[in-house]
Amino acid sequence: MIKHIGHFFYLSYFCAMRFFKIIAVIVVFLIGAYAASMYYFVDESKEFTIEKEIDYPLEKVFNQFNNLQNFTRWNNFFSSSKTITIDYYLPYEGQGSAISYNDPKSEDGGEMFIRYENPNKTLRYQLFEDEDENPTLIDVKFIAVSAEKTKIKWFVHTPKLPLLSRAQNFWTEDKFAENIDKSMLNLKNVLSNKVEKDNQLAAIKYDSIMVENEEAKMILGVNVSASNKKDALYKNIVMNYNKVNNFVSMDLGKKNDEVGYPVLITDADNFKDKEISYFFGIPLSKKVGITDNNFNFRSVNPTQNYVMYYKGSYEGRVKAIQQLMQKAKKDEMRYGDVYQTFIESPAEGQNVNMKLSLSVYR
């Protein structure tokens, strides 16, 4: 009996060892086949080119690439994470500038450098990801297609990968292209607000009535009712500007070139009322999620406006609004709300610099 038991365990041991040897041979064979396929069919590094066009002038586009503080705000590689921390190193802009970054949530980190700059023509970046000793090289070329359109070409060369890690090269280009698509959308949103502000400042002609077509806007702000007494109303506006601006800049983390000028929306002729109801807000490039019920979004549809720029005391705006209303009546146009856009942020004890827009229609 004991002899049979011993024989049974011997056979079991022999079979088990034989099984593990077969498994080991299969594993070795699969690893060998994988390594061979990587060696013969997959390049140890990748080179590819991506082209995009954007409807903004070359100088404005280039400045978003050679200034790394601008670059990290819209580039999806950095802006998509809420937990990433970035350190910027002098000179901050152009050749020699650099950053280091770390994301504790994803455990990603690395460094990025601008190694070469030919202003408004080319840039060369070096990106060291994690602890890799070899960088990804990214050359970016800028071409002015027209005064208002720029072509951007990325020439990407990835570092050599170890044999067993080369499978990453299958999706490297797709991943990079997806990041560029998202980044270009962010860049368009940034530049649209920046260029709009520049154009508004350049177009200012005070005390003259003009006709403008206003695009749709998404404005984040507050609904307010306030006394129409001389000082009380403007103090209330300044208070609500600070409230909205602090929420947009601190809670939402928006920068100046990511938002529009602050705007107050109210009925055109309610300046005669003892109490005024108005909406005060700051335009954003898109609607975002908010949890504070004190704030809400107001969607403004495209409109045709009679416009006048005004500078002076806030009370003095009434005369300019009346001129816009008289112009509408003369032209047999009906009118809706008046938009008071603050070219300079409202501040207590100071005159205002604003654009007054009266929406008109037949």
Side-chain angles (χ1 to χ4, degrees):
M1 181 70 177
I2 295 175
K3 182 178 180 181
H4 288 300
I5 294 173
H7 184 66
F8 171 77
F9 277 111
Y10 174 77
L11 287 175
S12 299
Y13 174 77
F14 177 78
C15 291
M17 291 301 296
R18 188 176 180 84
F19 174 77
F20 285 124
K21 284 181 180 179
I22 293 172
I23 294 298
V25 169
I26 292 174
V27 170
V28 170
F29 173 78
L30 291 175
I31 293 174
Y34 173 78
S37 64
M38 292 296 104
Y39 181 81
Y40 287 107
F41 302 113
V42 182
D43 294 332
E44 59 183 356
S45 64
K46 288 275 289 183
E47 289 187 357
F48 52 89
T49 302
I50 296 175
E51 293 187 16
K52 296 288 181 181
E53 288 189 1
I54 188 167
D55 295 330
Y56 292 97
L58 171 61
E59 295 78 10
K60 294 185 182 298
V61 173
F62 187 81
N63 182 250
Q64 294 296 321
F65 282 79
N66 79 327
N67 183 314
L68 291 181
Q69 293 183 79
N70 292 340
F71 182 83
T72 53
R73 288 215 299 266
W74 57 263
N75 189 284
N76 185 70
F77 184 84
F78 301 100
S79 65
S80 60
S81 172
K82 294 183 178 180
T83 56
I84 195 169
T85 58
I86 303 174
D87 292 319
Y88 300 88
Y89 303 103
L90 287 169
Y92 301 139
E93 181 177 304
Q95 185 171 326
S97 55
I99 60 171
S100 61
Y101 65 94
N102 181 60
D103 191 342
K105 187 174 181 179
S106 63
E107 297 184 352
D108 291 331
E111 297 176 316
M112 184 173 179
F113 303 84
I114 296 181
R115 294 303 193 192
Y116 174 77
E117 175 189 31
N118 186 356
N120 293 325
K121 292 184 178 180
T122 55
L123 287 169
R124 167 167 284 193
Y125 300 104
Q126 275 189 339
L127 175 64
F128 292 85
E129 297 185 77
D130 300 317
E131 297 180 358
D132 290 344
E133 295 182 358
N134 298 315
T136 297
L137 300 178
I138 306 169
D139 288 300
V140 186
K141 186 175 182 179
F142 303 84
I143 303 167
V145 178
S146 68
E148 298 298 327
K149 179 177 286 190
T150 304
K151 178 182 287 186
I152 309 168
K153 293 175 117 178
W154 286 263
F155 302 90
V156 182
H157 181 89
T158 65
K160 295 180 180 180
L161 292 176
L163 190 63
L164 297 182
S165 301
R166 289 186 191 175
Q168 296 178 37
N169 284 335
F170 282 123
W171 56 79
T172 296
E173 184 173 352
D174 290 340
K175 186 177 179 182
F176 196 92
E178 181 184 2
N179 180 73
I180 285 182
D181 286 340
K182 293 178 179 178
S183 298
M184 291 300 289
L185 181 60
N186 294 340
L187 177 58
K188 181 180 178 181
N189 291 334
V190 167
L191 286 173
S192 64
N193 285 321
K194 184 175 179 60
V195 170
E196 180 187 358
K197 289 181 177 181
D198 291 345
N199 289 342
Q200 283 189 9
L201 290 174
I204 288 181
K205 186 178 180 182
Y206 292 98
D207 303 322
S208 296
I209 296 178
M210 297 168 283
V211 180
E212 289 185 359
N213 292 319
E214 190 75 26
E215 295 182 354
K217 292 181 182 294
M218 186 64 66
I219 306 175
L220 176 64
V222 291
N223 291 300
V224 181
S225 291
S227 168
N228 195 20
K229 291 181 180 179
K230 178 180 176 181
D231 294 329
L233 177 59
Y234 189 58
K235 286 181 179 179
N236 186 266
I237 290 171
V238 172
M239 179 188 72
N240 282 292
Y241 162 71
N242 291 328
K243 179 180 178 180
V244 176
N245 186 58
N246 287 339
F247 182 75
V248 169
S249 60
M250 299 178 69
D251 293 65
L252 299 184
K254 299 294 182 181
K255 307 298 181 183
N256 284 338
D257 55 9
E258 296 179 278
V259 301
Y261 288 116
V263 59
L264 184 153
I265 306 173
T266 188
D267 290 337
D269 54 4
N270 74 350
F271 53 82
K272 299 173 287 188
D273 299 338
K274 292 183 179 180
E275 188 170 282
I276 289 181
S277 295
Y278 66 87
F279 177 86
F280 191 96
I282 293 177
L284 301 184
S285 56
K286 61 181 179 180
K287 194 171 183 178
V288 297
I290 56 174
T291 56
D292 192 328
N293 293 329
N294 292 311
F295 301 90
N296 60 85
F297 278 97
R298 179 160 177 168
S299 177
V300 177
N301 295 322
T303 58
Q304 184 182 63
N305 297 333
Y306 285 172
V307 171
M308 179 182 287
Y309 287 91
Y310 166 78
K311 183 184 286 186
S313 68
Y314 185 70
E315 295 75 25
R317 84 202 182 282
V318 173
K319 183 179 178 181
I321 294 173
Q322 288 174 323
Q323 286 180 264
L324 293 174
M325 294 165 61
Q326 288 168 4
K327 168 70 173 171
K329 291 175 181 177
K330 181 180 178 181
D331 294 343
E332 298 182 347
M333 301 285 283
R334 290 182 288 176
Y335 55 84
D337 291 333
V338 64
Y339 300 80
Q340 302 175 32
T341 303
F342 291 84
I343 305 301
E344 295 176 6
S345 301
E348 196 169 332
Q350 294 184 12
N351 285 338
V352 297
N353 185 4
M354 58 168 45
K355 173 184 176 182
L356 299 166
S357 306
L358 180 70
S359 62
V360 296
Y361 55 95
R362 292 285 180 189

